[in-house]
Amino acid sequence: MPAVVVVGAQWGDEGKGKVTDYLAAQADYVVRYQGGSNAGHTVVADGHTFRLHLLPAGIVHPGTQCVIGNGVVVDPLMLCRELAEVQSHGLSPRLWISDRAHVVMPYHRVLDRLEEEQRGDGRIGTTGLGIGPTYVDKVGRSGIRMAEFVDPDLFRQRLQAVLPLKNRLLQGVYGHPGFTVEAIVDELAEAARTLKPYVTDTSLLLNEALAAGQKVLLEGANGTLLDIDHGTYPFVTSSNASAGGAAAGAGIGPTRISRVIGVVKAYTTRVGAGPFPTELDNEVGAWIRERGREYGTTTGRPRRCGWFDAVLVRHAVRVSGIDLLAVTLLDVLSGLPKIPVCVGYRYRGQEVSGFPATLEALQGCEPVFEELPGWEEDLGSVRSWEQMPVNARHYVERLAELVGVPLGLVSVGPAREQTILCQELF
Ligand code: IMP
């Protein structure tokens, strides 16, 4: 059985955690393939709300194996905290961490903060968790990987090799006192011991699972519009959050991936800075924020809210090869008499094809809206397509039509049962 990817098709926070959790019940493996603790997935299971950052959403399913793939950057202290939290709820983690995944070091977090300060008005609004600096070191070939981290001698050797340069940067450019090998080893030694039993060659594991006909679910983090190549650069994260990142970040070949499910909200949100053509910087945006509880899972920051943008999602559909759409948070829009949806952009009076590459062009784009009739009914108790108010149904059907992808699932609330399946996903 080939692998299925769940990917965010907007700027993150699309509800991937819920969709993954829904599918995880049928999966043998759930795999994170990129990003790190910048991601925040909320999973409600057995009356408890888990806010996961690094652990795959499948962790709450007793029969599912969870994998943190080589493409992820792992903050060892945060991962240990999450493990302790799920264990305190009686769950025993069936977890595997790639020996090739890079480790977020204390100096990465500090650099993330200092670099943001340095950017001044041009700051990205990063989560401050060291994600960008860890990927910079990975690409710059001065990172430390899990296999080295959990071996005390190798860890010390790697730190001795990379720390002098880090300290020169921290001290010379930023006036920070820098770090010593001993202080870092002391801070992280216990986490290294805790994580060691979980570290393995996860590419081998996953390829064997696929060869044995097992089901593998690849869980994207962040969102396609935050992808380092295809997002709204430079207001992006530092990894390939699009579905293309799944093969490299999990260590499986692209030929193994049989389906890509794109998750979108019934509207649009964004955290941090960067262009947002359909943003509602007004009381309607504030109304959506309150109804949708649109505050960051990782940072608690209020999310910027706006109308659904079909241009942006069409871009995500192309670059991630999305072939099935999951629409979440439809219930939030109940009570609006009319709901505008962005169907195109105009730039200097001309219709735009594709998605602009520069911030300047994107900022100059005017969204073209189509208004759809709203509905009054509360959708929280809708359990089937037939129970869906006709205007709500037309609304999601129109979204699917505008982005050219069939509907797979519609979500009308945070609980697992508040999910309407339109066709088999796995
Ligand atoms: P970083 O990933 O911490 O470097 O942050 C880069 C940008 O991506 C910032 O605008 C963050 O707010 C945004 N970002 C990163 N991860 C997520 C996510 O999971 N959801 C929403 N935004 C995110």
Side-chain angles (χ1 to χ4, degrees):
M1 165 65 70
V4 170
V5 180
V6 172
V7 70
Q10 292 159 326
W11 279 295
D13 312 311
E14 298 92 347
K16 295 179 294 293
K18 170 171 169 172
V19 175
T20 311
D21 172 61
Y22 188 78
L23 294 171
Q26 304 159 49
D28 296 296
Y29 284 83
V30 179
V31 186
R32 274 284 305 272
Y33 61 81
Q34 47 69 233
S37 47
N38 54 352
H41 289 176
T42 307
V43 179
V44 183
D46 297 330
H48 183 77
T49 302
F50 292 93
R51 292 184 210 290
L52 307 175
H53 300 285
L54 274 161
L55 286 175
I59 204 84
V60 297
H61 292 274
T64 310
Q65 307 271 332
C66 290
V67 172
I68 295 181
N70 55 277
V72 176
V73 289
V74 179
D75 183 322
L77 297 178
M78 284 195 69
L79 182 55
C80 286
R81 271 201 294 279
E82 272 183 49
L83 274 171
E85 199 210 326
V86 297
Q87 282 165 333
S88 75
H89 283 88
L91 298 165
S92 49
R94 300 144 318 280
L95 176 70
W96 304 104
I97 307 166
S98 169
D99 46 11
R100 288 151 170 91
H102 280 250
V103 183
V104 180
M105 289 287 140
Y107 48 80
H108 290 133
R109 281 167 167 270
V110 169
L111 278 168
D112 197 356
R113 188 172 47 77
L114 294 171
E115 284 166 4
E116 273 287 85
E117 275 168 22
Q118 171 94 347
R119 286 184 189 112
D121 286 346
R123 70 184 177 281
I124 295 164
T126 72
T127 55
L129 296 169
I131 307 300
T134 309
Y135 279 115
V136 166
D137 277 359
K138 171 178 175 171
V139 176
R141 290 154 294 183
S142 55
I144 298 180
R145 308 207 287 182
M146 279 313 287
E148 296 150 350
F149 176 64
V150 297
D151 178 318
D153 293 334
L154 278 181
F155 183 36
R156 200 174 281 274
Q157 277 172 32
R158 289 294 295 145
L159 278 175
Q160 277 158 354
V162 301
L163 206 52
L165 197 58
K166 289 289 148 204
N167 279 339
R168 262 195 277 167
L169 173 67
L170 283 164
Q171 291 158 355
V173 176
Y174 295 108
H176 184 277
F179 291 85
T180 64
V181 171
E182 285 319 310
I184 295 178
V185 169
D186 282 354
E187 188 182 344
L188 299 181
E190 197 190 323
R193 278 194 296 276
T194 306
L195 297 180
K196 188 170 180 159
Y198 303 108
V199 175
T200 193
D201 181 344
T202 51
S203 165
L204 188 62
L205 186 76
L206 291 172
N207 277 286
E208 283 174 359
L210 287 166
Q214 292 191 296
K215 292 183 179 179
V216 174
L217 185 62
L218 299 149
E219 175 188 3
N222 319 130
T224 300
L225 271 294
L226 290 171
D227 182 281
I228 186 75
D229 286 291
H230 301 292
T232 44
Y233 192 90
F235 294 100
V236 291
T237 192
S238 305
S239 62
N240 281 119
S242 56
I252 62 170
T255 48
R256 300 284 177 216
I257 296 171
S258 59
R259 166 166 284 174
V260 179
I261 301 170
V263 187
V264 290
K265 279 178 181 166
Y267 46 94
T268 311
T269 63
R270 161 158 223 174
V271 200
F276 184 169
T278 62
E279 181 167 16
L280 289 161
D281 193 9
N282 57 21
E283 69 283 2
V284 184
W287 181 86
I288 293 177
R289 182 177 311 117
E290 292 316 309
R291 280 187 57 89
R293 295 174 295 281
E294 293 294 357
Y295 294 88
T297 317
T298 302
T299 59
R301 288 180 287 178
R303 296 179 185 141
R304 300 157 63 194
C305 299
W307 300 124
F308 187 87
D309 183 341
V311 181
L312 172 152
V313 177
R314 279 199 290 266
H315 172 68
V317 165
R318 281 192 298 274
V319 301
S320 275
I322 292 166
D323 48 13
L324 214 49
L325 201 65
V327 181
T328 64
L329 290 135
L330 184 63
D331 51 304
V332 170
L333 299 182
S334 292
L336 290 168
K338 295 241 183 285
I339 312 176
V341 170
C342 169
V343 295
Y345 290 164
R346 263 181 204 289
Y347 183 64
R348 296 183 179 156
Q350 301 283 317
E351 207 173 294
V352 174
S353 63
F355 191 75
T358 66
L359 294 179
E360 290 69 20
L362 191 53
Q363 268 149 3
C365 280
E366 249 181 78
V368 178
F369 287 108
E370 169 179 308
E371 268 193 349
L372 300 175
W375 59 92
E376 278 299 322
E377 297 89 331
D378 176 21
L379 304 185
S381 54
V382 171
R383 293 290 176 273
S384 69
W385 208 223
E386 291 67 41
Q387 291 170 356
M388 185 77 83
V390 68
N391 283 354
R393 191 173 164 154
H394 285 160
Y395 180 77
V396 266
E397 282 174 343
R398 181 67 180 137
L399 301 190
E401 186 178 46
L402 283 168
V403 304
V405 176
L407 278 173
L409 172 159
V410 178
S411 168
V412 291
R416 265 184 214 158
E417 56 278 11
Q418 291 174 303
T419 309
I420 296 124
L421 199 62
C422 309
Q423 59 174 281
E424 278 314 313
L425 303 179
F426 219 145

